[in-house]
Amino acid sequence: MLDHKLRELADSDFYPFHMPGHKRQQTGLEDPYAIDITEIPGFDNLHDPQGLILEAMERMAGLYHAKKSYLLVGGSTCGNLTAVFSALPQKGCILMGRGSHKSIYHAAWLRQCRIVYTYPKVGQIGMIEGTSIAEYEQALQVNPDIGAIVVTSPTYEGMIEPLDEIVALAHARGIPVIVDAAHGAHLGFDPYFPKSPLESGADLVIMSLHKTLPALTQTAVLHVNENSLVSERQIETYLDVFETSSPSYVLMASICQCIRFLEEEKAAFGVYASRLQDFYKKCKSLEKIRVSSFPGQDPGKIVIDVSKTWLSGHALEEILLQKYHLVLEMSSFSYGLAMTSVMDSEEGFVRLFEALKEIDREASARDTDDPCWTGQVLYGRGQKVMEYHEAMEKAKERCALDQAEGRIAASSVAIYPPGVPLIVPGERIDQERIDLLNLAQKQGLTITGLVDHGLFVVI
């Protein structure tokens, strides 16, 4: 069973280059059974904080220089749903990146939003490289009814969007900016890393503590910035809707320990930065595999590019797992992603470099520079026929993937992780996306949303 399998993993030498950010190192949390309680006297209430939990909120806000910080035990998903509902009325218009997390899509669906997309620049290996401010300017000019903007920054691979410019552009029109910074809870604690989205003036910022800090899975925070255009009363109303009425005191204890770590162990971020710098420096010696940070990227997200070899990203992931007992966060067509945190050890970085050095020496170089697929398809412009929520509520039928060209999608299909929808309800399905999904299956990538190699379409 699962519990036995987890114990085997804990006792093994498999090293986690994946979430959660505590990297399976105990940070002092007691036996979870001993502290798993409900809202008994003296221990406060997450939905009406007046004591210990309020104190934790205030200390969290102080660390991130926020006006207010709400502790979340439902992950960034809970925060994203709350933020969209708080910032927009029912049937409002939302501007969001085509590469947004599925929770943003779900929020737009439930809120029955009219969705307008920004489209990022996508590199040859299929990784988002950022969205130009011109995309936002054009969208706002063409759609004056946009009521809120959602930006993902950093992205899954650590790319940072031009938040200073986006916020200035939005606030000049009285439009709030929500930043899904699920992967950015560590930003702002050392100058080696990009600054926190809160410093750019975003109205609401959602962070997953568990992704890059020493905290248990599902722990997160929703920050409200000074002069936010979004009402705290609205936020608290929707947190009551989307967050469990039985919040885990074990998870809240983990958040408190994370707060204490951020207050007392600030020097650890300098050590973390030094280890990353040394790792990147050593990787410059690799000949075919490329491990390099991009301008504006969070260097804590290590992108391992194998596009100059005949390896796929999935093949790299399997070699690291089976031969070297190194577990990546994810793999895509031409790269793998090693997710690091302040809790990673020197030994972990050494093991990863030594493994990559051997793989680099043994891998065959590709004899062509032509990409094996078109990265733009992943986040490319689709033909929108109806709104997401309209498609979800239409009568639907299952259609074989290879026969779906021209049909209107009634369900999401995504390569997971990161779970960004490749096929979005309400869009007409094109052959390029079908081909990409077939290639993903051939390479062994995980796909969510397919049912017996088919998907649901509008009748």
Side-chain angles (χ1 to χ4, degrees):
M1 290 179 66
L2 177 60
D3 56 340
H4 291 155
K5 188 73 172 177
L6 287 169
R7 175 43 54 193
E8 288 177 12
L9 177 64
D11 293 338
S12 74
D13 68 339
F14 282 81
Y15 189 91
F17 278 107
H18 57 78
M19 298 181 281
H22 55 69
K23 297 305 180 90
R24 303 207 306 268
Q25 294 188 49
Q26 194 176 64
T27 56
L29 194 66
E30 301 290 334
D31 173 5
Y33 288 96
I35 61 172
D36 187 18
I37 62 170
T38 187
E39 292 90 345
I40 60 176
F43 289 88
D44 211 356
N45 185 326
L46 182 63
H47 290 286
D48 183 24
Q50 298 180 27
L52 293 169
I53 296 172
L54 178 60
E55 177 196 355
M57 290 170 58
E58 290 171 346
R59 287 168 67 174
M60 179 75 79
L63 282 164
Y64 286 92
H65 308 290
K67 180 184 178 184
K68 198 162 188 177
S69 297
Y70 294 92
L71 311 188
L72 306 177
V73 295
S76 283
T77 291
C78 165
N80 285 342
L81 290 166
T82 296
V84 171
F85 269 69
S86 300
L88 281 168
Q90 195 75 357
K91 299 185 185 296
C93 182
I94 186 171
L95 177 61
M96 55 187 268
R98 182 61 178 75
S100 294
H101 186 262
K102 65 179 182 179
S103 61
I104 300 296
Y105 281 91
H106 291 164
W109 166 23
L110 296 173
R111 203 55 163 156
Q112 295 185 317
C113 291
R114 186 172 81 84
I115 300 175
V116 179
Y117 294 115
T118 55
Y119 294 91
K121 178 185 177 185
V122 182
Q124 195 174 76
I125 64 171
M127 194 182 82
I128 288 177
E129 294 183 354
T131 309
S132 71
I133 193 65
E135 275 281 323
Y136 290 92
E137 290 175 332
Q138 182 179 16
L140 290 168
Q141 287 174 2
V142 175
N143 303 276
D145 59 332
I146 287 171
I149 299 174
V150 179
V151 184
T152 304
S153 185
T155 64
Y156 197 59
E157 294 90 351
M159 299 307 293
I160 305 295
E161 295 286 11
L163 289 176
D164 290 351
E165 296 171 271
I166 294 168
V167 170
L169 191 67
H171 283 183
R173 293 165 170 79
I175 300 171
V177 176
I178 300 164
V179 179
D180 177 359
H183 290 273
H186 63 299
L187 300 183
F189 289 97
D190 188 273
Y192 180 60
F193 301 95
K195 67 182 183 181
S196 166
L198 286 149
E199 296 180 55
S200 295
D203 298 84
L204 303 179
V205 178
I206 300 93
M207 295 174 166
S208 287
L209 301 175
H210 72 92
K211 284 182 167 62
T212 57
L213 291 176
L216 293 175
T217 299
Q218 283 187 219
T219 57
V221 60
L222 190 162
H223 299 291
V224 183
N225 221 335
E226 292 289 346
N227 305 314
S228 172
L229 298 176
V230 182
S231 160
E232 290 172 31
R233 184 180 296 274
Q234 285 284 86
I235 293 167
E236 290 165 10
T237 294
Y238 288 111
L239 276 176
D240 199 41
V241 172
F242 291 114
E243 193 154 39
T244 175
S245 60
S246 300
S248 167
Y249 276 80
V250 176
L251 294 182
M252 287 189 283
S254 178
I255 292 175
C256 289
Q257 290 197 329
C258 184
I259 291 170
R260 196 172 294 113
F261 177 89
L262 293 174
E263 291 174 337
E264 300 174 0
E265 304 292 338
K266 293 180 181 178
F269 288 92
V271 175
Y272 174 35
S274 177
R275 287 173 176 167
L276 282 168
Q277 288 171 310
D278 182 60
F279 175 79
Y280 281 113
K281 183 178 179 180
K282 289 193 292 187
C283 285
K284 290 183 184 297
S285 64
L286 302 178
E287 296 180 359
K288 298 179 283 290
I289 294 175
R290 293 180 291 186
V291 181
S292 57
S293 54
F294 299 83
Q297 182 196 18
D298 168 18
K301 311 297 190 298
I302 298 175
V303 177
I304 307 168
D305 175 2
V306 292
S307 62
K308 297 298 182 183
T309 76
W310 284 108
L311 291 172
S312 66
H314 182 66
L316 170 72
E317 182 179 31
E318 283 296 304
I319 293 170
L320 288 171
L321 177 66
Q322 301 300 335
K323 184 175 180 180
Y324 300 98
H325 292 186
L326 300 172
V327 190
L328 293 185
E329 168 68 21
M330 62 86 77
S331 62
S332 190
F333 296 94
S334 301
Y335 67 92
L337 178 65
M339 193 168 289
T340 69
S341 87
V342 68
M343 300 302 289
D344 274 296
S345 66
E346 179 66 24
E347 177 200 357
F349 284 111
V350 169
R351 284 179 61 183
L352 180 58
F353 172 70
E354 292 298 327
L356 292 178
K357 186 167 68 172
E358 281 192 19
I359 296 169
D360 183 69
R361 184 171 60 245
E362 296 170 4
S364 300
R366 291 184 82 223
D367 53 10
T368 175
D369 288 330
D370 294 333
C372 63
W373 67 293
T374 305
Q376 290 292 345
V377 175
L378 199 55
Y379 307 101
R381 299 176 189 269
Q383 183 187 355
K384 182 178 172 183
V385 180
M386 61 183 69
E387 291 298 335
Y388 190 113
H389 70 89
E390 292 173 332
M392 292 298 290
E393 292 158 14
K394 293 279 188 183
K396 59 196 72 173
E397 64 181 1
R398 183 190 164 277
C399 176
L401 180 62
D402 291 336
Q403 298 174 15
E405 183 182 10
R407 301 296 298 271
I408 301 169
S411 61
S412 290
V413 180
I415 298 171
Y416 189 88
V420 173
L422 176 62
I423 291 178
V424 173
E427 290 184 350
R428 197 175 300 281
I429 302 166
D430 57 48
Q431 190 60 46
E432 282 187 311
R433 284 172 170 76
I434 294 171
D435 292 343
L436 190 57
L437 286 169
N438 284 326
L439 178 60
Q441 288 190 315
K442 182 179 179 181
Q443 290 197 1
L445 302 180
T446 299
I447 299 170
T448 61
L450 291 184
V451 180
D452 296 328
H453 202 63
L455 72 160
F456 289 102
V457 296
V458 173
I459 296 175

